[in-house]
Amino acid sequence: MKTTNVLLLLSITFGHLAYADQKIAISNFESTNLSSWSRKSFSGTTDYSIVNIDNTATLKAVSHSSASGIAKEQRIDLKQTPYINWSWRIDNRLTGLKETSKDGDDYSARIYIVIDGGWKIWSTRALNYVWSSNQYIGSEWNNAFASDNAKMIAVQGKNSNISTWYTEKRDVYADMIAQFGDKGSAKKNEKAYRYIDVIALMTDTDNSKLDATAYYRNIYFSAD
């Protein structure tokens, strides 16, 4: 084998290995505070603070009939790192809600993944990975307030244990295509869904007027 071919093979091999190991931290809450996150209130103010649990820095969210979130603008190339990873826990469910209705659009914990359409607001798309209090894991539905632009996926559900940590991994690129439609070709899909612009967290109970406490840890994107 020629030397140039060997070098090319090594370059491809090690390049692939480096790509496979790639991770992009959104926040592990251990070495950062919330200064890189912006706050948005819709109704009242959910309290977000970093606390220490089992010697691990953790984001704690407490809602008393409120709906406010924290968001981080960070462009992620889903072609390189399509998987979002995180851990979360809730202390209580929100019982008696119809989550597919406007009156029941409350969640002890949720993570938004947003493709920002800028001035073309109709092009903005948001995935909501939620901890559902009343539906089963894997349930999917349109958001009651923005059915064309926001889709809900129950990553944890009514049978999930409270006060228990769950570690999650979702293929955001695949979920975007599944929820908002296949554009018909890999090239079109890449253009439509390749980049996301915002990651947001929200614990909200403004519709139910209940209380909720949730915890979030170690949010990052990975290649596999």
Side-chain angles (χ1 to χ4, degrees), residues 23-56:
K23 292 182 179 180
I24 298 175
I26 303 304
S27 185
N28 59 18
F29 302 119
E30 295 176 356
S31 58
T32 62
N33 53 35
L34 296 179
S35 60
S36 62
W37 296 74
S38 60
R39 297 174 184 259
K40 172 65 177 178
S41 177
F42 300 94
S43 177
T45 302
T46 299
D47 179 62
Y48 296 94
S49 61
I50 296 177
V51 298
N52 190 292
I53 299 178
D54 299 327
N55 296 318
T56 302

Side-chain angles (χ1 to χ4, degrees), residues 89-140:
R89 186 187 101 187
I90 66 169
D91 281 355
N92 60 286
R93 296 185 182 87
L94 304 175
T95 59
L97 299 183
K98 184 180 179 182
E99 294 168 333
T100 57
S101 70
K102 292 182 178 180
D103 290 338
D105 188 47
D106 280 351
Y107 302 93
S108 295
R110 66 165 127 185
I111 295 182
Y112 291 86
I113 308 295
V114 181
I115 294 177
D116 188 359
W119 291 104
K120 297 180 180 179
I121 190 65
W122 56 87
S123 296
T124 298
R125 301 179 181 91
L127 285 178
N128 286 246
Y129 295 126
V130 303
W131 193 310
S132 173
S133 294
N134 301 287
Q135 300 189 71
Y136 290 104
I137 293 173
S139 298
E140 301 174 353

